[in-house]
């Protein structure tokens, strides 16, 4: 029974030559190795550039959302202040209207002529 590991023919994993077998090999193997290294270098640069771009975009989005969040918080404070002010005005108007009505009723009971108007 043959051992599958012994049938590798020293070609490395998956039939690909390792870098150790290329050292001191023929010029064609050196060119292939240099080409592989060059493509790997380009792929690494491309990956790093893409990652940096994504990081910049993410940071820009974070900054934009933070700015929008601050703006919305200010708007909420403004609206809460306006709401409180309007409630105070309504309370004063309601109180003064009620007092005005009571005063008018008291005057009517005393026989004032303004009751018929």
């Amino acid at each position: 029974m043959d051992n599958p590991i012994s049938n590798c023919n020293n070609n490395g994993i998956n039939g690909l030559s390792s870098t150790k077998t290329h050292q001191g090999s023929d010029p064609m193997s050196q060119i292939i190795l240099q080409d592989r290294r060059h493509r790997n270098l380009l792929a690494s640069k491309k990956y790093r550039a893409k990652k940096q771009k994504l990081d910049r975009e993410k940071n820009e989005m974070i900054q934009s959302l933070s700015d929008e969040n601050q703006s919305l918080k200010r708007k909420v404070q403004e609206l809460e202040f306006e709401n409180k002010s309007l409630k105070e005005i309504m309370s004063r108007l309601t109180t003064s209207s009620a007092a005005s009505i009571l005063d008018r009723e008291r005057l009517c009971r005393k026989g004032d002529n303004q009751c018929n108007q």
Side-chain angles (χ1 to χ4, degrees):
M1 184 172 207
D2 289 332
N3 186 351
I5 296 174
S6 65
N7 291 335
C8 287
N9 296 331
N10 293 328
N11 284 337
I13 299 173
N14 295 329
L16 297 175
S17 299
S18 68
T19 55
K20 289 182 180 180
T21 60
H22 286 293
Q23 294 174 350
S25 298
D26 64 14
M28 190 60 158
S29 296
Q30 289 296 322
I31 293 172
I32 292 171
L33 178 60
Q34 287 176 348
D35 182 57
R36 184 184 310 158
R37 286 180 180 163
H38 180 69
R39 284 185 281 132
N40 189 9
L41 178 68
L42 293 177
S44 296
K45 285 182 179 181
K46 182 179 177 183
Y47 171 78
R48 285 191 295 274
K50 181 178 178 182
K51 186 175 181 196
Q52 288 175 349
K53 179 184 176 202
L54 290 174
D55 284 346
R56 277 193 307 273
E57 290 173 354
K58 179 181 68 172
N59 289 334
E60 289 171 3
M61 179 63 82
I62 288 170
Q63 184 62 48
S64 173
L65 292 173
S66 294
D67 292 346
E68 182 181 6
N69 190 24
Q70 288 300 317
S71 175
L72 291 171
K73 284 180 179 180
R74 282 191 298 274
K75 185 68 174 175
V76 165
Q77 287 178 335
E78 290 171 11
L79 291 172
E80 286 175 342
F81 179 76
E82 182 181 1
N83 189 28
K84 182 180 176 184
S85 299
L86 291 172
K87 282 182 178 181
E88 289 174 359
I89 291 170
M90 288 298 296
S91 175
R92 279 188 263 138
L93 287 174
T94 303
T95 303
S96 67
S97 294
S100 165
I101 292 170
L102 290 174
D103 288 342
R104 192 177 306 143
E105 287 179 3
R106 282 188 208 128
L107 291 174
C108 287
R109 287 184 197 141
K110 292 181 181 179
D112 196 357
N113 291 334
Q114 291 182 351
C115 294
N116 297 330
Q117 294 177 356

